[in-house]
Amino acid sequence: DWSVQATVSLMLSQNLGDQNISIVAEEDSHTLSNPESSALLLTVVNAVNGCLSEAPRFGLQGPNKALGSSQILDAISKCNSNGGPSGRHWVLDPVDGTLGFVRGDQYAIALAMIEDGEVVLGVLGCPNYPVKDDALNMCGQRGHDVRCELPPREGGCVMYTQKHISKAWMQPLIHPDKRLEWPNSAKLIRVSSIDDPAQATFCEPVESNNSDHSFAAGVANNAGIRKKPLRVHSMVKYGAIARGEAEIYMKFARAGYKEKIWDHATGVLLVQEAGGVVTDAGGRPLDFSRGIYLESMDRGLIACCGSRLHQKIIAAVYASWDSSHL
């Protein structure tokens, strides 16, 4: 997480020509700054310098020489913005789905740009999510949890979009011995056309500590969803809907849990520009203008491949809510 955050912070500052850009991100440098963390800091410094040395392969300018620990710590510390309703803010989740990363499952690197409270740009790197069709369902399964055992030399994908263009793209990650060459096998992605819950594939988080699986199961039953849920780490769930491999993503937070903007900004925009719909569980748009949290969110969030299916899921939420509070 620290290495990715430092790398993205440095590359944004250097290539956008602005050393004072606003970045909202998950990590801080306090732990790394402690004397007892010197070995860990050295590992981070080496990882960042190794990554930055690859910048020319992507048409980017890296530093002229290896960076020291103070420069790396400074890059991490610069990601201290709280966002808000005005101005431009980059939003970064350096490793979304850390448990998935540790397990060799799905994880993502997510970067979004928010202008005056609206998400306007999103990039989602998914190293364990191949570009092949139906990759999520073809991945090896452990229970209902999705895990990909990638063949040697086969990589994942990166998806990206921009607000108000109604288009999103996907391309394979750059092979280690190649350079970025546009269009680099980029292709348009689009949400599924399925609007029947009985045929829909439903995604939810793997962990139940901040997501109410039992309520989601009730909603699925009331909506007529027949398939068992695919439990997937990270914003790969949003990516699966954007590229048409799943139709529904539901998450209902447990009491006291507040969703953070870096866990959703990129994924929400991807789904919307690929033709889908994302709201809270009451049917209202998500508000990214209130700082690092998605404030005033009604019960949870619903992402669907289209408006007709979305309306059916929202209706099932209300029916399930009413029956659970009788």
Side-chain angles (χ1 to χ4, degrees):
D1 290 80
W2 284 309
S3 299
V4 173
Q5 185 162 313
T7 301
V8 173
S9 173
L10 288 161
M11 296 306 289
L12 285 176
S13 295
Q14 180 153 343
N15 288 278
L16 296 180
D18 184 357
Q19 297 298 320
N20 297 310
I21 59 176
S22 172
I23 305 176
V24 184
E26 189 171 14
E27 305 301 328
D28 61 50
S29 62
H30 293 159
T31 299
L32 284 179
S33 300
N34 295 330
E36 59 268 25
S37 299
S38 57
L40 177 59
L41 176 58
L42 179 60
T43 302
V44 171
V45 170
N46 290 337
V48 173
N49 280 313
C51 188
L52 293 176
S53 69
E54 299 289 304
R57 291 205 301 118
F58 299 89
L60 298 170
Q61 180 182 353
N64 297 323
K65 60 181 180 179
L67 302 179
S69 58
S70 62
Q71 293 166 295
I72 303 298
L73 288 171
D74 184 56
I76 296 171
S77 298
K78 282 184 177 179
C79 303
N80 60 0
S81 171
N82 289 321
S86 61
R88 173 181 291 181
H89 310 283
W90 292 91
V91 179
L92 172 67
D93 195 333
V95 179
D96 180 37
T98 304
L99 186 57
F101 171 75
V102 171
R103 290 176 172 175
D105 291 1
Q106 297 298 337
Y107 70 101
I109 295 89
L111 181 66
M113 187 171 74
I114 294 178
E115 282 189 330
D116 297 332
E118 290 193 355
V119 186
V120 298
L121 188 72
V123 185
L124 187 68
C126 308
N128 284 346
Y129 191 13
V131 296
K132 67 179 76 171
D133 292 340
D134 203 30
L136 202 65
N137 285 298
M138 290 171 63
C139 287
Q141 299 223 1
R142 185 175 64 243
H144 305 313
D145 301 354
V146 175
R147 178 174 182 173
C148 274
E149 300 290 351
L150 291 174
R153 300 177 68 83
E154 182 175 350
C157 69
V158 58
M159 290 172 269
Y160 45 93
T161 191
Q162 182 179 338
K163 190 172 180 63
H164 297 317
I165 61 173
S166 300
K167 292 180 181 178
W169 290 268
M170 174 179 65
Q171 65 187 49
L173 298 183
I174 307 301
H175 195 277
D177 60 4
K178 294 183 179 179
R179 292 177 61 91
L180 173 65
E181 295 180 5
W182 182 258
N184 191 44
S185 303
K187 68 175 185 179
L188 287 170
I189 54 176
R190 196 71 184 167
V191 296
S192 164
S193 60
I194 291 174
D195 60 10
D196 181 359
Q199 300 178 35
T201 297
F202 154 43
C203 294
E204 67 179 354
V206 174
E207 300 300 312
S208 59
N209 58 340
N210 60 16
S211 182
D212 191 337
H213 285 173
S214 62
F215 184 73
V219 173
N221 182 66
N222 278 330
I225 297 173
R226 295 177 181 174
K227 295 181 181 181
K228 293 181 179 179
L230 287 178
R231 290 180 178 165
V232 186
H233 293 285
S234 81
M235 264 183 271
V236 165
K237 295 182 283 292
Y238 284 112
I241 295 177
R243 54 186 267 189
E245 292 187 357
E247 286 74 39
I248 303 165
Y249 166 33
M250 293 188 284
K251 181 181 181 184
F252 302 99
R254 294 191 177 278
Y257 183 81
K258 297 174 71 174
E259 300 286 352
K260 301 175 182 67
I261 60 174
W262 52 70
D263 288 322
H264 300 283
T266 297
V268 168
L269 187 65
L270 266 177
V271 170
Q272 291 173 334
E273 296 302 318
V277 180
V278 186
T279 69
D280 68 15
R284 300 180 303 180
L286 303 185
D287 185 356
F288 290 92
S289 71
R290 307 279 295 276
I292 66 172
Y293 296 107
L294 288 170
E295 301 285 0
S296 304
M297 200 165 75
D298 187 352
R299 288 166 287 189
L301 64 90
I302 308 292
C304 289
C305 61
S307 58
R308 290 184 63 184
L309 183 60
H310 181 263
Q311 290 169 5
K312 295 173 183 178
I313 301 303
I314 292 293
V317 169
Y318 278 97
S320 300
W321 187 264
D322 291 342
S323 63
S324 66
H325 288 76
L326 288 177

